[in-house]
């Protein structure tokens, strides 16, 4: 793994979008991107559906708030911000392609639009509005290393992280809208944070999760944005459950091991026994 620049300042922006206010939400993200850049951020992660809001009442409403990638107004604003600040931006966006809607996230850099990830695992009523992702798990090369993207519920599927790890990804950026879990007694037991830590540890990748806060149409969100190193330890956050915050951490992506030895006799990728995992498919069938 040969990075041009291993040390990178990663920022996660925890914010509260206003449902349906595309222009206002976009302006807010630009202000926060500028703030993160001024603090030295090189890679900036924003929440899931941060341009539109999350809780739709109908497919018609959802369709009215979607935009095409990369020609939509939100993307155009982010393109300008990325170039102006010389940063990479990962951000959740409400995507329209023809009559299909996707819960997506984009990667934009100083050089322009780089690529799109479409959420593969849809949560609850998302299934009423969005198509399942059809782009797989794309890996994006940057001057800091290889980046993978997931959206919210995707992190509950360890296969997603393993697929990225097998492709040599260094950093997984997660645009998310985490909601309270059942039987979650207090903010010290935020399951999503533990899930992010476990996946980072098991796959030796850095993980940066940007969540939103606030209550939208009766649905609360739990904040708790976090940046996790490749050993699974939190290096910034978790953030609060109810306040807008900017997390920042300097990370050495060369420490993302992605198959390098953990001991003289072990490696996470090398110790996998794919021949015995096929039983999972047999059970399902």
């Amino acid at each position: 793994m040969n990075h041009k620049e291993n040390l990178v300042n990663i920022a996660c922006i925890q914010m509260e979008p206003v449902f349906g206010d595309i222009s206002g939400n976009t302006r807010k993200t630009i202000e926060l991107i500028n703030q993160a850049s001024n603090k030295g951020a090189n890679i900036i992660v924003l929440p899931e559906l941060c341009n539109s809001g999350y809780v739709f009442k109908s497919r018609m409403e959802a369709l009215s708030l979607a935009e095409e990638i990369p020609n939509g107004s939100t993307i155009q604003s982010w393109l300008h911000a990325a170039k102006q600040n010389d940063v990479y931006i990962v951000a959740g966006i409400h995507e329209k392609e023809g009559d299909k809607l996707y819960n997506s996230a984009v990667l934009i850099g100083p050089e322009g639009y780089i690529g799109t990830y479409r959420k593969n695992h849809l949560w609850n009523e998302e299934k009423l509005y969005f198509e399942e992702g059809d782009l797989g798990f794309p890996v994006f090369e940057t001057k800091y290393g290889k980046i993978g993207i997931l959206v919210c519920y995707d992190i509950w599927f360890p296969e997603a992280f393993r697929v990225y790890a097998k492709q040599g990804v260094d950093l997984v950026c997660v645009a998310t809208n985490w909601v309270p879990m059942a039987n979650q007694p207090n903010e010290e037991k935020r399951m999503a944070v533990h899930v992010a830590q476990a996946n980072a540890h098991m796959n030796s990748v850095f993980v940066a999760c940007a969540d939103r806060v606030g209550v939208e149409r009766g649905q609360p969100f739990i904040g708790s944005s976090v940046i996790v190193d490749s050993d699974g330890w939190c290096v910034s956050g978790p953030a609060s459950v109810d306040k807008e915050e900017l997390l920042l951490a300097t990370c050495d992506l060369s420490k993302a091991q992605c198959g390098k030895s953990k001991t003289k006799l072990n490696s996470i990728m090398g110790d996998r026994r794919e021949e015995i995992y096929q039983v999972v498919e047999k059970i399902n069938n």
Side-chain angles (χ1 to χ4, degrees):
M1 203 163 31
N2 295 315
H3 304 300
K4 294 179 181 177
E5 300 181 37
N6 295 134
L7 286 177
V8 57
N9 294 323
I10 301 170
C12 285
I13 291 175
Q14 181 163 294
M15 60 175 285
E16 182 177 0
V18 175
F19 184 84
D21 186 3
I22 300 289
S23 60
N25 291 331
T26 302
R27 285 195 301 272
K28 185 171 186 175
T29 63
I30 298 303
E31 292 172 2
L32 295 169
I33 288 167
N34 291 340
Q35 288 179 26
S37 175
N38 289 338
K39 291 181 180 293
N42 308 117
I43 298 174
I44 301 169
V45 189
L46 288 154
E48 178 181 9
L49 298 178
C50 64
N51 70 319
S52 64
Y54 182 82
V55 184
F56 305 105
K57 289 184 177 179
S58 69
R59 181 172 173 80
M60 184 74 70
E61 180 181 63
L63 189 61
S64 71
L65 294 172
E67 60 185 78
E68 295 181 348
I69 296 175
N71 298 319
S73 60
T74 301
I75 299 291
Q76 293 303 307
S77 295
W78 289 342
L79 284 166
H80 178 73
K83 183 176 182 179
Q84 186 177 49
N85 290 286
D86 192 28
V87 296
Y88 290 90
I89 300 168
V90 175
I93 188 168
H94 185 21
E95 180 190 2
K96 173 174 61 178
E97 184 182 65
D99 61 352
K100 294 181 178 181
L101 300 178
Y102 296 95
N103 186 340
S104 298
V106 292
L107 174 61
I108 291 167
E111 65 271 42
Y113 167 75
I114 298 172
T116 299
Y117 171 82
R118 290 172 173 167
K119 189 173 184 178
N120 283 305
H121 306 95
L122 300 178
W123 170 260
N124 200 15
E125 292 185 3
E126 290 175 26
K127 294 185 177 183
L128 301 178
Y129 312 117
F130 297 113
E131 305 289 332
E132 291 180 332
D134 58 359
L135 299 178
F137 297 98
V139 176
F140 303 108
E141 294 270 5
T142 75
K143 65 181 180 180
Y144 299 109
K146 294 182 179 180
I147 292 178
I149 301 174
L150 296 174
V151 177
C152 200
Y153 186 43
D154 284 325
I155 75 168
W156 266 263
F157 296 84
E159 297 89 345
F161 281 90
R162 187 51 51 88
V163 168
Y164 275 140
K166 288 190 70 177
Q167 295 182 84
V169 160
D170 306 304
L171 169 65
V172 178
C173 296
V174 184
T176 188
N177 278 183
W178 289 329
V179 299
M181 302 292 290
N183 303 315
Q184 180 174 290
N186 57 56
E187 66 181 67
E188 297 305 317
K189 297 183 178 180
R190 295 172 278 192
M191 184 58 68
V193 173
H194 300 304
V195 172
Q197 289 184 265
N199 278 300
H201 174 78
M202 289 187 294
N203 294 285
S204 291
V205 295
F206 288 80
V207 179
C209 305
D211 194 17
R212 63 162 291 171
V213 290
V215 178
E216 184 178 286
R217 291 179 165 178
Q219 174 62 65
F221 300 90
I222 67 165
S224 310
S225 299
V226 67
I227 302 172
V228 184
D229 70 15
S230 58
D231 289 321
W233 303 115
C234 299
V235 291
S236 186
S240 69
V241 298
D242 57 1
K243 296 180 179 64
E244 294 187 318
E245 293 186 41
L246 171 63
L247 299 185
L248 188 66
T250 301
C251 300
D252 182 355
L253 295 189
S254 69
K255 293 183 178 179
Q257 298 187 31
C258 296
K260 292 183 179 179
S261 295
K262 281 292 191 182
T263 71
K264 291 181 179 179
L265 299 177
N266 293 105
S267 73
I268 287 178
M269 295 297 112
D271 288 341
R272 297 179 70 250
R273 295 187 58 196
E274 293 188 5
E275 76 279 5
I276 64 173
Y277 302 151
Q278 295 176 22
V279 66
V280 174
E281 297 302 321
K282 292 179 180 177
I283 291 171
N284 288 340
N285 294 328

